[in-house]
Amino acid sequence: MGSVAPLVKENKTSGSVKPIVDLTRSDMERVNALILSKAGSDVEMIPEVANHLISSGGKRLRPMLTLATAALFGYRGEHHIRLATSVEFMHTATLLHDDVVDESDLRRGKSSARMIWGNQASVLVGDFLLGQAFRMMVETGSMEALSVLSDAAAVIAEGEVLQLSVSKKMETTEDDYIAVIRGKTAELFAAAAEVGPIIAGATAADRKALRDYGMALGIAFQLVDDVLDYGGDSADLGKNVGDDFREGKVTLPIILAYQRGNDDEKAFWRNAIEGGENDDAALEKARFLLEKHAALADSVDRALSYGEAARAALSGLPRSDGRHALEEVIDFCIARIN
Amino acid sequence: MGSVAPLVKENKTSGSVKPIVDLTRSDMERVNALILSKAGSDVEMIPEVANHLISSGGKRLRPMLTLATAALFGYRGEHHIRLATSVEFMHTATLLHDDVVDESDLRRGKSSARMIWGNQASVLVGDFLLGQAFRMMVETGSMEALSVLSDAAAVIAEGEVLQLSVSKKMETTEDDYIAVIRGKTAELFAAAAEVGPIIAGATAADRKALRDYGMALGIAFQLVDDVLDYGGDSADLGKNVGDDFREGKVTLPIILAYQRGNDDEKAFWRNAIEGGENDDAALEKARFLLEKHAALADSVDRALSYGEAARAALSGLPRSDGRHALEEVIDFCIARIN
C-alpha cells in the first residue's frame, strides 16, 4: 500500500516533543552513546541486528520520559542514563520479538530485522538486549527500579500473549482491548516514568503520580497508533496501512464498528478478521464502515480522555519546565493523528 | 528416526543423580510448587504453554545445583527456593526460544510448544517466564544474585547468536565450538552453582570454586549431549537422533572428523553441513566417518577432562554429603553416554 490520505482530520490538540527533547538533550546524547556501547559484542551479528533497528531512529520517547522525570525531582547522579538505556533496550527487544510474532516485513519504514537476518537472530538479539538491560539496572544498585522494570517485563509479555489469544476473535470486548494495550504498551511508559522519580528519591505519592501519567499516556499513544493503522501514511507510520487488519488484530476501531454494525456488516467483519478475507478491497470496505460508524473518531476521543487523565496525574506537581514538557508529550502523542 | 544403537560404548564412568535428588528432595517440592504458581496467569495460554514444557519433566539439574550449593554452606532461609525457580525459568525460556530458532518439532520426547501453539506463543511465553524469573530474583533482595543471573541472561543469548553465526560453516574451530557451549549451556550451570553460595553468604573463594565447578560441568554436559545426538536413543534423548546434523550444527565430533578426513571426506562434510545434503543415507555415512576417526570417543574424552576440572574445583571444600552429591552429578552427566 502506498500513501493513503488520513481518514481522521479533526485536529483537537496540538503539541510538541520539542520541550522534552530540549530538556533531555545532553542526557540523551549519553543515552545514545550507551545504547551503541551496550549493543556491542564480539559476536558480530549482535551489533549488526541491534543497530539496524536502533539506527532506524525511533523517537526514543520512553528513555526521554525516564530522563525528564528524574530531572523533575532534581536528580544529579548518573544512574538515570543507565535506566533510560535499559528502558529503550526493553522496548527494542519487544520490537524484535514482535516482528517475529507478527511476521512483519516492515518496521519504522525499513525491512524488519527478521526479513534480513531471520527469525532466529531477531529472537536471540532481543534476548541479549533484555539481558543487557537487566545488567545495567543492576549497575544502578536500585532494587526498587529493578522491581518496577522486572514487573514491566513480565506484564508486557503477558499483554502480548493476551493479544495473541484474542487475535482473530470478533467477540473481543473493549475491556479485553484495553487490557492488551495496557500490558503491551502502557506498562513500559508507566515504568519509564516511574523509575525517574525512584532514582531521584522522590516520595511514594510522586512516584505514583508519574506512574499514572505514564500509564494513561501509553494507552492514549497506542489508541492513536491503532487509529493510524487505518488512516495514516505508511512513510510516517513506518509500517503498512492496514497491517493490523491483515493480521486479524481486533483493535478498538473495529470493536466499535462491529458493535454498531448491522447483520451484514457483522458478517463482513467476521469474514475479514476471523476468516482472513482481508484483501485490498476488503480493507477499503473496512475503512468505509469505520467512517460510517465514527469508529476512528470515537477511538480518538477515547485517546483524548486518557490524555486528560495523564494531564490530571501531573496536576499536583509544581509548575515547571519539566512538567510543561511532559504535558506537551501528551498532546504530541495524540496530535500524530493529523 | 527410530531408536538407534549407541555408537559409543565405553563406560569410563558411572554416577548417579540419586544423592543430589535425595539431598534436595524437600526443597525441590517447594521449587516445583513455585514453578507452577509463577507460571500461572489470567491469560490462559501462558500456563498452557509453560506447563506443557514444565510437565514434560526435565531432570531439573540446574535448580538442584542451586539448592545443593546453598545447602553446602549451611543456608537456612527461603530465598534459595526463589533463585532455583528463577534458574529453571531462565532455562525453560531458553528452550522455548531455542525451539523457534531450531525449528524443532520435538522437545523432551513430546511435540515442541511451537508445533502446538505456534512460534508466537513460544517467543512470548519465554519472555514472560524470563520476566517472572527476574521478579523472583528481586524478591530475594540479593543484588549479587541479580548480577550473576543478569550476566548469565546476556551471555546465554550471546552464545546462542554465536552458534547461529557459525551454523553451517565447516571452518568453525574447536575454540569457536567451546565458546558457543560455554555461553549457551555452561554459563547457566555456572550461575546456578554460584547463586547458592551467594545467598548463603559464602566467601568469594567458595563462590568462585562453585562457579568453576558449574562451568566445567556444563561444558562436559553439552559435549555429551552433542555426542548423543549421533548415537543416542531418541526416547532417552527427547529429540531425534541426527537433529544437529540436519540443522547444520557444527559440533565437536564433526570438527574432529573433518580435521582428520581426507579430501573426499572433507567434501562430504561440506556438502552435508553447508550444502544441506543431509538425508538418512548421509547421516549413516556421517556416523561411519565419526567412528572411523574416533571423533565421538575423543569428544567423550574431552568431556571427561572437563569433568575432572569440575571435580578439581570442589577439592578445596571439606568432604561432605553435599560435595559427594555434586561429584556424582559430574559422573552422571558423562555416564549418560551409555
Side-chain angles (χ1 to χ4, degrees), chain B residues 3 6 55 75 77 81 214 236 238 266 273 310:
Chain B
S3 163
S55 70
Y75 183 64
I81 306 292
D236 292 345
K266 282 191 163 70
I273 297 296

Side-chain angles (χ1 to χ4, degrees), chain B residues 166-229:
Chain B
V166 301
S167 171
K168 303 187 181 174
K169 291 193 180 138
M170 279 313 306
E171 70 260 39
T172 306
T173 65
E174 186 167 343
D175 283 350
D176 293 333
Y177 167 79
I178 294 291
V180 167
I181 69 174
R182 190 177 278 274
K184 78 167 188 169
T185 305
E187 178 71 22
L188 189 56
F189 276 80
E194 189 178 2
V195 294
I198 284 175
I199 204 70
T203 65
D206 284 337
R207 276 178 56 168
K208 181 175 183 314
L210 271 295
R211 177 174 180 82
D212 290 347
Y213 161 82
M215 184 65 78
L217 175 67
I219 295 174
F221 180 92
Q222 187 62 52
L223 275 162
V224 168
D225 239 37
D226 291 345
V227 168
L228 284 172
D229 202 78

Side-chain angles (χ1 to χ4, degrees), chain A residues 38 82 85-86 89 132-140:
Chain A
K38 295 291 180 181
R82 294 191 179 92
T85 307
S86 295
F89 272 19
Q132 291 290 73
F134 277 99
R135 276 175 151 170
M136 284 185 278
M137 293 172 215
V138 168
E139 284 170 11
T140 70

Side-chain angles (χ1 to χ4, degrees), chain A residues 187-208:
Chain A
E187 178 70 24
L188 189 56
F189 276 80
E194 188 179 2
V195 294
I198 284 176
I199 205 69
T203 64
D206 284 336
R207 276 178 57 169
K208 182 177 181 315

